[in-house]
């Protein structure tokens, strides 16, 4: 089928989807969750074909890998989305004008959302669930690394939709080619919104190329600043969790900024990282502080390419700064407006950091690893927006909607 024909079919399905009630949507999600649990072997077999083509040392390998426990968690997450309140029909604003007109501003779906992503097959399930719950049809464009997995996932979802008598084109997977990406980015007559999820290179390409409106779920170059008044025990735990909990995700820590007066504590701050074999790229002052106290094989002198780099690996840069203002300046130059953290017991320093740093999520004495829709109580997310128009930070169900004005009259005419 030609891609333009697919776009038209999804657009038609989105218009039918607008007439499906919330409970029917929830029933679809629960049925898909059951089908996931009944099809674990089918999904893992497809996923193994993708894994066989990737070097296990590739940082993307963990993101690509599906396991039985991960699939069961995906099924549970889908049921959680079904249990969330509907984001549709929420009245943001309501007023009655002097002439009697009743005017309401109400949440509605975008219509058709295209999502372009790389080697993360779980995203296929996440996007389908969030788009369906918010009344949107979706077009998925996954990477070639996960093509077998994505095809199996969409086959499973289509099987459920056809069994329930629902138009299967409320979700469709495009071929994993650059040509398909290009056509999707120029399908402005059929697609209402594009959301890229992946590397900075992918996001930059989509932003520069697309004639369809884009919401960027940007790369995460995340910093933690250990202040002059930071608590050492808190700092060591926060830094270790932010860096090592899961290195291949966008909220993982990439750079530790440390106040020059706390360099004697740097070895203790970084000590837990040794258990995960984290390689540290240190500037000269921090290298001197770590030399002899951190494994020599894991300690390297930093160059400028180490800063502003999203490692997605067991690697981290360290930079010494004079004060909170210099930390903020470094983040302005090298950050990605994703998630930033300060570790301090000084309320004035915390407030200055919060007010000055330009990022979607700013933490005081907590790790950037919490930047996640579920952790924010949103139930789920489609990505972390690093831009400022429409949505910023974790994009949950509410952020998957736009609005329209509803006006009720009784025959009034404008003079």
């Amino acid at each position: 089928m030609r891609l333009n024909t697919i776009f038209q079919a999804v657009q038609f399905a989105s218009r039918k989807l607008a007439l499906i009630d919330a409970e029917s949507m929830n029933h679809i999600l629960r049925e898909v969750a059951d089908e996931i649990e009944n099809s674990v072997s089918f999904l893992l077999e497809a996923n193994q074909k993708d894994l066989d083509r990737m070097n296990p040392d590739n940082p993307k390998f963990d993101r690509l890998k599906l396991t039985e426990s991960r699939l069961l968690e995906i099924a549970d997450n889908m049921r959680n989305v079904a249990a969330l309140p509907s984001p549709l029909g929420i009245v943001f604003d309501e007023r009655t004008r002097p002439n009697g007109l009743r005017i309401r501003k109400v949440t509605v779906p975008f219509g058709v959302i295209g999502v372009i992503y790389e080697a993360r097959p779980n995203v296929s399930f996440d996007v389908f669930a969030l788009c369906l719950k918010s009344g949107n049809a979706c077009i998925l464009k996954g990477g070639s690394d996960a093509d077998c997995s994505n095809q199996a996932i969409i086959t499973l979802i289509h099987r459920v939709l056809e069994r329930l008598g629902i138009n299967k084109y409320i979700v469709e997977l495009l071929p994993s080619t650059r040509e398909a990406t290009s056509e999707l980015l120029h399908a402005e007559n059929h697609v209402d919104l594009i959301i890229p999820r992946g590397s900075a290179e992918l996001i930059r390409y989509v932003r520069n190329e697309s004639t369809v409106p884009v919401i960027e779920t940007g790369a995460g170059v995340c910093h933690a600043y250990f202040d002059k008044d930071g608590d050492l025990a808190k700092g060591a735990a926060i830094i270790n969790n932010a860096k090592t909990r899961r290195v291949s995700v966008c909220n993982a820590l990439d750079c530790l900024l440390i106040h020059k007066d706390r360099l004697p504590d740097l070895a203790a701050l970084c000590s837990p990282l040794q258990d995960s074999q984290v390689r540290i790229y240190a500037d000269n002052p921090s290298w001197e502080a770590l030399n002899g106290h951190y494994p020599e094989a894991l300690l390297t002198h930093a160059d400028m390419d180490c800063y502003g780099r999203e490692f997605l690996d067991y690697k981290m840069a360290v930079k010494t700064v004079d004060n909170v203002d210099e930390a903020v300046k470094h983040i302005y130059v090298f950050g990605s407006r994703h998630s930033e953290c300060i570790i301090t017991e000084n309320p004035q320093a915390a407030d200055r950091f919060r007010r000055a740093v330009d990022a979607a999520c700013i933490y005081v004495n907590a790790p950037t690893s919490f930047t996640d829709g579920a952790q924010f109580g949103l139930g789920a997310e489609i990505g972390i927006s690093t831009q400022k128009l429409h949505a910023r930070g974790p994009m949950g169900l509410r952020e998957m909607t736009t609005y329209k004005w509803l006006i009720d009259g009784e025959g009034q005419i404008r003079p």
Side-chain angles (χ1 to χ4, degrees):
M1 183 182 290
R2 292 173 57 249
L3 293 190
N4 195 55
T5 304
I6 292 176
F7 300 152
Q8 291 174 354
V10 175
Q11 185 180 51
F12 177 79
S14 75
R15 293 166 180 168
K16 296 295 184 181
L17 184 59
L19 302 176
I20 297 179
D21 62 88
E23 183 47 43
S24 296
M25 293 179 183
N26 295 336
H27 179 63
I28 295 169
L29 293 174
R30 291 191 291 265
E31 288 290 308
V32 171
D34 291 344
E35 192 72 14
I36 294 170
E37 292 179 343
N38 294 331
S39 305
V40 169
S41 297
F42 167 68
L43 294 171
L44 292 183
E45 182 180 342
N47 183 240
Q48 189 61 49
K49 295 177 182 177
D50 292 326
L51 293 173
D52 289 342
R53 300 196 309 270
M54 181 177 285
N55 186 337
D57 295 331
N58 189 323
K60 292 181 180 180
F61 189 85
D62 180 62
R63 296 198 296 184
L64 174 63
K65 187 175 183 178
L66 294 174
T67 64
E68 181 174 0
S69 62
R70 287 183 179 181
L71 287 171
L72 296 180
E73 183 179 351
I74 288 170
D76 285 341
N77 288 340
M78 194 158 293
R79 294 189 183 99
N80 291 338
V81 172
L84 292 171
S86 173
L88 302 174
I90 297 172
V91 180
F92 278 153
D93 191 6
E94 184 173 11
R95 64 191 68 193
T96 300
R97 301 297 296 149
N99 62 2
L101 284 179
R102 182 185 174 212
I103 302 175
R104 290 171 292 155
K105 183 180 181 182
V106 180
T107 56
V108 297
F110 277 100
V112 177
I113 296 178
V115 181
I116 303 171
Y117 53 106
E118 294 173 331
R120 296 184 68 172
N122 63 293
V123 172
S124 301
F125 281 123
D126 294 344
V127 170
F128 166 72
L130 290 169
C131 283
L132 178 65
K133 182 76 177 187
S134 56
N136 295 290
C138 57
I139 299 174
L140 307 180
K141 170 55 184 68
S144 57
D145 290 338
D147 194 43
C148 294
S149 303
N150 288 331
Q151 288 188 46
I153 289 168
I154 297 306
T155 296
L156 181 151
I157 294 172
H158 281 175
R159 190 160 62 220
V160 174
L161 294 175
E162 290 172 343
R163 186 170 71 233
L164 297 176
I166 304 296
N167 188 328
K168 72 173 186 177
Y169 285 107
I170 62 172
V171 54
E172 187 54 273
L173 177 71
L174 299 184
S176 60
T177 63
R178 286 187 68 90
E179 291 75 19
T181 301
S182 180
E183 288 199 42
L184 178 59
L185 295 180
H186 296 286
E188 62 270 12
N189 291 329
H190 306 295
V191 179
D192 299 286
L193 179 67
I194 297 288
I195 300 175
R197 290 188 57 166
S199 66
E201 180 183 4
L202 169 68
I203 293 162
R204 185 165 50 249
Y205 170 76
V206 170
R207 181 181 63 238
N208 294 339
E209 183 72 15
S210 181
T211 53
V212 179
V214 174
I215 293 180
E216 298 179 33
T217 58
V221 180
C222 302
H223 299 78
Y225 167 54
F226 189 75
D227 185 46
K228 179 180 180 180
D229 298 310
D231 180 276
L232 183 57
K234 288 180 185 177
I238 288 169
I239 292 164
N240 186 55
N241 184 257
K243 177 66 262 181
T244 67
R245 177 191 165 272
R246 198 171 178 190
V247 297
S248 61
V249 293
C250 61
N251 58 27
L253 180 63
D254 294 296
C255 181
L256 169 63
L257 304 172
I258 184 166
H259 192 286
K260 63 181 181 180
D261 293 349
R262 299 304 298 271
L263 282 171
D265 294 312
L266 181 59
L269 282 175
C270 294
S271 180
L273 301 174
Q274 300 178 50
D275 295 337
S276 300
Q277 297 289 295
V278 174
R279 175 172 293 279
I280 291 178
Y281 298 87
D283 68 349
N284 289 334
S286 58
W287 191 92
E288 293 292 342
L290 290 171
N291 188 29
H293 303 284
Y294 197 80
E296 182 180 358
L298 297 175
L299 184 60
T300 303
H301 284 282
D303 57 32
M304 291 305 295
D305 290 338
C306 296
Y307 303 116
R309 180 176 172 186
E310 186 181 27
F311 286 104
L312 301 174
D313 201 350
Y314 289 95
K315 298 175 181 179
M316 184 183 79
V318 179
K319 178 76 166 67
T320 309
V321 295
D322 290 341
N323 49 48
V324 65
D325 291 336
E326 190 173 335
V328 170
K329 182 178 179 180
H330 180 96
I331 291 170
Y332 263 109
V333 174
F334 295 103
S336 63
R337 300 183 178 181
H338 191 291
S339 300
E340 308 293 357
C341 158
I342 181 173
I343 303 160
T344 186
E345 300 300 305
N346 185 324
Q348 289 74 33
D351 183 63
R352 191 172 185 85
F353 187 87
R354 273 190 294 238
R355 293 173 64 184
V357 170
D358 182 16
C361 303
I362 300 174
Y363 294 84
V364 175
N365 295 327
T368 56
S369 50
F370 280 108
T371 300
D372 174 85
Q375 295 297 316
F376 279 28
L378 303 178
E381 60 157 63
I382 201 165
I384 310 297
S385 171
T386 55
Q387 64 185 52
K388 300 181 182 181
L389 291 179
H390 179 70
R392 197 176 196 194
M395 289 182 61
L397 286 170
R398 186 75 66 89
E399 287 71 34
M400 300 290 289
T401 66
T402 181
Y403 62 84
K404 62 183 174 186
W405 294 93
L406 303 180
I407 305 93
D408 295 317
E410 297 179 350
Q412 297 94 327
I413 60 173
R414 183 171 177 176

